[in-house]
């Protein structure tokens, strides 16, 4: 059975890689860990985004934030400590990977960890609108 793509319209040119990224993100959709995305805009028109991920119990050494290929990948790897003995284990030491697809022009500013929240700050400067006339050549 073939799948009909949203990006197969004849006026959408060069979106093949974008479609692959969206498919990859859809396959990795998991509810853990929960996150928020907040958007603000300053007077100059620069959009700012804060991606807050609940990572209680993870240390800085157990978290990794990678910006590559127009996406952010956040990974968490906790290790069980063999010397600890739990009477009840309600908070699992579990690994996760969460991906966020970025639009062109997005800049990852920084990432901070505090009070069980990993906050990744992003920025999209206002891009100038450019229009140019294309000369038509005769063959």
């Amino acid at each position: 059975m073939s799948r009909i793509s949203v990006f197969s319209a004849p006026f959408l040119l060069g979106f093949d890689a974008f479609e692959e990224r969206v498919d990859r993100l859809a396959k990795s959709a998991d509810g853990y860990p929960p996150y928020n995305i907040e958007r603000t805009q300053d007077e100059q028109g620069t959009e700012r985004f804060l991606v807050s991920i609940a990572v209680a119990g993870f240390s800085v050494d157990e978290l990794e934030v990678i910006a590559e290929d127009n996406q952010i990948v956040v990974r968490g790897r906790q290790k069980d400590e063999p010397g600890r003995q739990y009477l009840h284990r309600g908070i699992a030491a579990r690994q996760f990977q969460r991906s966020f697809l970025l639009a062109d022009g997005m800049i990852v500013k920084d990432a901070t960890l505090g009070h069980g929240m990993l906050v990744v700050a992003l920025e999209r400067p206002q891009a100038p609108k450019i229009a140019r006339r294309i000369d038509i050549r005769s063959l």
Side-chain angles (χ1 to χ4, degrees), residues 47-129:
E47 279 186 297
R48 288 189 172 78
F49 298 87
L50 294 176
V51 179
S52 303
I53 306 171
V55 293
F58 285 85
S59 68
V60 172
D61 298 335
E62 296 169 329
L63 294 168
E64 179 179 45
V65 179
I66 299 173
E68 66 175 336
D69 195 27
N70 282 5
Q71 78 176 21
I72 299 172
V73 178
V74 180
R75 292 186 184 100
R77 294 184 185 95
Q78 281 184 319
K79 299 177 183 87
D80 278 330
E81 297 178 29
R84 296 181 95 171
Q85 185 179 20
Y86 292 94
L87 298 177
H88 171 73
R89 185 81 188 254
I91 303 171
R94 102 186 233 200
Q95 298 181 13
F96 73 87
Q97 177 173 315
R98 169 112 20 219
S99 299
F100 298 91
L101 190 61
L102 303 178
D104 288 335
M106 295 288 287
I107 300 167
V108 180
K109 297 303 271 184
D110 67 356
T112 56
L113 178 65
H115 304 290
M117 298 293 284
L118 174 66
V119 179
V120 181
L122 308 165
E123 191 174 277
R124 178 174 33 201
Q126 187 176 22
K129 298 192 184 320

